[in-house]
């Protein structure tokens, strides 16, 4: 039985749980320790669990980056972490907080990405989001943004809501992007169970000005700090391919409202002020926009002033994905 039939067997209250999650703030959900929910992915001593057991440091140096991965697979849910990014010169450095099933489906995997792209001294970190399903990497759905704060000064919350009909990216409980499933997207919408990953790695070939500025290891180690880890969703048995359980939030504040009117105002404001790139307006990559795009002429005109964006083609994912067996902690190949 394939994952395409998974929906026939999920918990009876699956839809209700995900509806509640749509308006849930991470502060309403239980924060778990690293050992409860995650395994080391790669990096040897470059991954350090702090004494409280709930905070993790990932570092990048000349030897390797580092990363961790959830112990369970999830089929929809709400996933969140407080992250503090490295400071000073960070060109070429990539910190990623994302969902993927690339280890199980290397040729047709799904992915939901937060990627944080470093910069030269005096320039700000940028955020990139991306979504694809069934290995549809040829249709990149990237967006890039600046932030209204310095993400290296303090911790900020970054969250992903994933349901069968929508994906929402949040920064400090402000939705910054909403991806609605459309019939035209077909299998390009992530639909197979995924694990949650967090990594730091060397993306010198593409991450800063298309590879013009590279990682300078005299500033190493580059340290990314993670805390307030939230895994709240429907776990899936990787062998039986059935949903094992769906977490239920007990908070009365978590009502199924999706993006509220106030949140939508904040999201629209954020995108007008801080979005610097959207695949929907990239006429170099796409002669005509992908079918799910809704074109806004004012937005298209505003985005024209920003520099062209370079992506890492297939190689940019090698720094994030590390083949592993379920439950293993095998060292990944260095970039």
């Amino acid at each position: 039985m394939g994952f395409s039939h998974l929906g026939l067997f999920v918990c009876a209250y699956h839809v209700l749980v995900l509806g509640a999650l749509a308006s849930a703030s991470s502060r309403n959900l239980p924060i778990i320790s690293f050992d409860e929910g995650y395994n080391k992915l790669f990096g040897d001593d470059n991954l350090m669990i702090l004494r409280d057991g709930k905070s993790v440091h990932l570092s990048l140096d000349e030897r390797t980056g580092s990363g961790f991965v959830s112990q369970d697979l999830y089929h929809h849910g709400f996933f969140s972490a407080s992250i503090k990014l490295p400071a000073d010169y960070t060109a070429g450095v990539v910190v990623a907080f994302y969902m993927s099933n690339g280890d199980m489906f290397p040729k047709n995997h799904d992915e939901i990405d937060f990627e944080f792209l470093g910069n030269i001294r005096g320039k700000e970190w940028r955020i990139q989001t991306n979504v694809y399903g069934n290995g549809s990497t040829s249709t990149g759905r990237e967006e890039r943004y600046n932030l209204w704060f310095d993400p290296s000064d303090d911790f900020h919350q970054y969250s992903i809501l994933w349901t069968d009909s929508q994906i929402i990216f949040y920064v400090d409980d402000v939705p910054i992007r909403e991806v609605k499933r459309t019939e035209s997207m077909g299998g390009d919408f992530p639909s197979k169970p995924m694990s949650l990953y967090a990594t730091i790695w060397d993306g010198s070939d593409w991450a800063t000005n298309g590879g013009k500025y590279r990682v300078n290891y005299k500033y190493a180690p580059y340290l990314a700090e993670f805390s307030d880890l939230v895994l709240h969703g429907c776990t899936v048995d990787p062998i039986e391919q059935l949903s094992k359980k769906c977490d239920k939030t007990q908070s009365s504040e978590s009502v199924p409202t999706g993006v509220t009117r106030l949140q939508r105002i904040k999201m629209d404001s954020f995108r007008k002020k801080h979005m610097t790139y959207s695949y929907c307006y990239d006429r170099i990559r796409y002669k005509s926009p992908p079918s799910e795009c809704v074109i806004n002429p004012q937005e298209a005109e505003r985005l024209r002033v920003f520099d062209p964006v370079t992506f890492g083609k297939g190689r940019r994912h090698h720094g994030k994905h590390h083949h592993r067996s379920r439950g293993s902690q095998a060292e990944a190949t260095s970039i």
Side-chain angles (χ1 to χ4, degrees), residues 31-168:
I31 294 171
I32 64 172
S33 69
F34 184 87
D35 289 339
E36 284 180 291
Y38 299 91
N39 287 327
K40 179 180 178 180
L41 181 62
F42 73 109
D44 291 331
D45 295 336
N46 283 14
L47 185 153
M48 184 175 65
I49 304 170
L50 273 60
R51 289 183 179 180
D52 66 0
K54 296 183 178 181
S55 302
V56 185
H57 287 179
L58 298 181
S59 61
L60 167 69
D61 58 24
E62 299 91 336
R63 298 178 302 110
T64 182
S66 52
F68 59 86
V69 60
S70 63
Q71 295 172 7
D72 286 318
L73 283 167
Y74 293 87
H75 192 236
H76 305 146
F78 186 83
F79 310 92
S80 185
S82 288
I83 305 173
K84 183 179 179 182
L85 298 174
D88 202 8
Y89 181 97
T90 55
V93 177
V94 179
V95 176
F97 180 69
Y98 66 106
M99 303 196 72
S100 177
N101 47 35
D103 55 348
M104 299 184 67
F105 303 97
K107 294 183 179 180
N108 64 331
H109 76 284
D110 306 318
E111 191 162 312
I112 303 172
D113 284 349
F114 264 118
E115 289 181 310
F116 305 91
L117 311 179
N119 220 327
I120 60 176
R121 183 180 287 127
K123 298 288 186 178
E124 300 173 341
W125 280 84
R126 291 132 314 131
I127 291 184
Q128 177 169 292
T129 61
N130 195 11
V131 170
Y132 56 83
N134 278 337
S136 57
T137 55
S138 60
T139 307
R141 291 180 166 84
E142 294 93 344
E143 290 187 352
R144 284 189 183 179
Y145 328 88
N146 296 318
L147 291 168
W148 64 94
F149 55 82
D150 183 346
S152 67
D153 275 349
D154 204 350
F155 285 90
H156 291 270
Q157 199 82 16
Y158 304 92
S159 309
I160 296 168
L161 172 69
W162 172 39
T163 78
D164 62 353
S165 61
Q166 65 178 344
I167 295 164
I168 303 175

Side-chain angles (χ1 to χ4, degrees), residues 175-176 263-273 299:
I176 66 168
Q263 284 178 322
R264 192 164 298 281
I265 292 172
K266 290 182 178 181
M267 180 169 67
D268 291 344
S269 176
F270 169 86
R271 294 174 67 82
K272 288 178 181 177
K273 294 177 181 177
E299 189 170 66

Side-chain angles (χ1 to χ4, degrees), residues 1-12:
M1 182 182 302
F3 281 119
S4 61
H5 296 95
L6 185 65
L8 298 175
F9 300 94
V10 296
C11 305

Side-chain angles (χ1 to χ4, degrees), residues 202-273:
D202 185 332
S204 288
D205 288 345
W206 67 278
T208 308
N209 289 63
K212 179 180 179 180
Y213 301 105
R214 306 180 67 83
V215 173
N216 187 334
Y217 284 104
K218 79 175 185 180
Y219 298 103
Y222 296 97
L223 180 67
E225 304 174 56
F226 290 76
S227 65
D228 298 340
L229 302 172
V230 173
L231 290 170
H232 195 85
C234 297
T235 58
V236 171
D237 187 304
I239 305 301
E240 297 181 2
Q241 303 180 6
L242 302 177
S243 182
K244 293 191 295 186
K245 69 181 182 68
C246 298
D247 289 338
K248 288 192 294 185
T249 178
Q250 302 299 318
S251 174
S252 59
E253 297 177 18
S254 299
V255 294
T257 56
V259 177
T260 67
R261 184 182 66 85
L262 180 58
Q263 284 178 322
R264 192 164 298 281
I265 292 172
K266 290 182 178 181
M267 180 169 67
D268 291 344
S269 176
F270 169 86
R271 294 174 67 82
K272 288 178 181 177
K273 294 177 181 177

